[in-house]
Amino acid sequence: MAAETLIRGRLAAERPDDGVLGEEGGEHTGTGDRHWVVDPLDGTINFLYGFPQWAVSIALQDADGGLVGVVYDPMREELWSGQRGGPPTLNGEPVAPTGADRLDRALVATGFGYDAAVRDVQGAHVARLLSRVRDIRRAGAAALDLAWVAGGRVDAYFERGVKPWDTAAGVLLCELAGLEVRRLEPDPPSEAGVLAAPKALAAELVELVTSVA
């Protein structure tokens, strides 16, 4: 809460007409068409346990979608960032995804919700996927998962139940990297989600992580 208060204060001082949506403080509607989406601590459980996988995620959006996105990883002193029309960068240097084109060689990141019934559904999807990919990674911070897809540390990412503040900056980084970003429809009791992957893998991954009626 202290981190979000600081971020909101800085944004209000520099961009008083912009709206802000934050995980802790809710939504403030601005007078213009730009708004910020803030997650002051993505990976809260990791932070509480001392597991070094958490980040600050801030995105700026307008009527056309993502305009600027930053994901800051304090544990590694890594700043993933990008703005519309440019490449994603890591500490100012351009990065690129892996360009994987074979599912059986793809390292796929995902995450799980807190509700037990949701986790049952998510676990079934992972079980279905596990024998079809190189391996699965579950690190616990969606913003970093997306940044790492954009930067080639994993090949793809999917997760249902994520919120706008979890994904706004990371999704923009993936789009700037030329990855295919798809909305995952709700899979009750799981809410909607997002998938980011190379174009050659996206359709097959969506099929594998969608329940068969």
Side-chain angles (χ1 to χ4, degrees):
M1 292 178 69
E4 184 164 321
T5 298
L6 183 150
I7 293 166
R8 283 177 177 267
R10 292 292 295 275
L11 293 176
E14 297 290 338
R15 304 285 305 180
D17 296 331
D18 293 351
V20 182
L21 172 64
E23 180 177 15
E24 305 299 336
E27 186 167 12
H28 164 72
T29 302
T31 58
D33 67 348
R34 293 185 176 187
H35 66 276
W36 300 84
V37 186
V38 177
D39 191 341
L41 176 54
D42 182 46
T44 306
I45 298 300
N46 287 348
F47 177 82
L48 292 173
Y49 272 78
F51 188 87
Q53 187 77 354
W54 52 274
V56 180
S57 175
I58 303 174
L60 175 62
Q61 299 177 334
D62 62 14
D64 295 321
L67 185 61
V68 174
V70 296
V71 177
Y72 180 56
D73 178 353
M75 301 304 295
R76 299 175 180 83
E77 296 186 354
E78 291 185 341
L79 178 64
W80 303 85
S81 62
Q83 61 181 346
R84 185 184 296 159
T89 64
L90 171 56
N91 292 340
E93 296 297 324
V95 295
T98 63
D101 59 3
R102 287 179 50 185
L103 192 62
D104 64 343
R105 305 299 292 172
L107 187 62
V108 180
T110 192
F112 304 120
Y114 295 118
D115 181 84
V118 170
R119 294 168 72 89
D120 279 344
V121 173
Q122 292 173 324
H125 290 325
V126 169
R128 185 182 183 194
L129 187 62
L130 189 57
S131 65
R132 303 286 297 276
V133 298
R134 180 192 293 271
D135 209 345
I136 301 289
R137 293 291 182 267
R138 192 274 199 257
L144 278 179
D145 286 339
L146 286 161
W148 284 18
V149 178
R153 291 183 180 172
V154 292
D155 295 300
Y157 161 80
F158 75 96
E159 186 173 355
R160 284 184 174 84
V162 286
K163 303 300 184 182
W165 46 79
D166 299 318
T167 61
V171 161
L172 177 60
L173 296 178
C174 288
E175 291 173 343
L176 296 176
L179 292 158
E180 188 160 334
V181 178
R182 295 198 184 189
R183 180 181 188 269
L184 293 176
E185 296 300 325
D187 193 0
S190 294
E191 298 178 353
V194 65
L195 179 145
K199 295 183 187 300
L201 306 181
E204 190 172 4
L205 275 173
V206 169
E207 181 179 353
L208 286 168
V209 300
T210 300
S211 292
V212 178

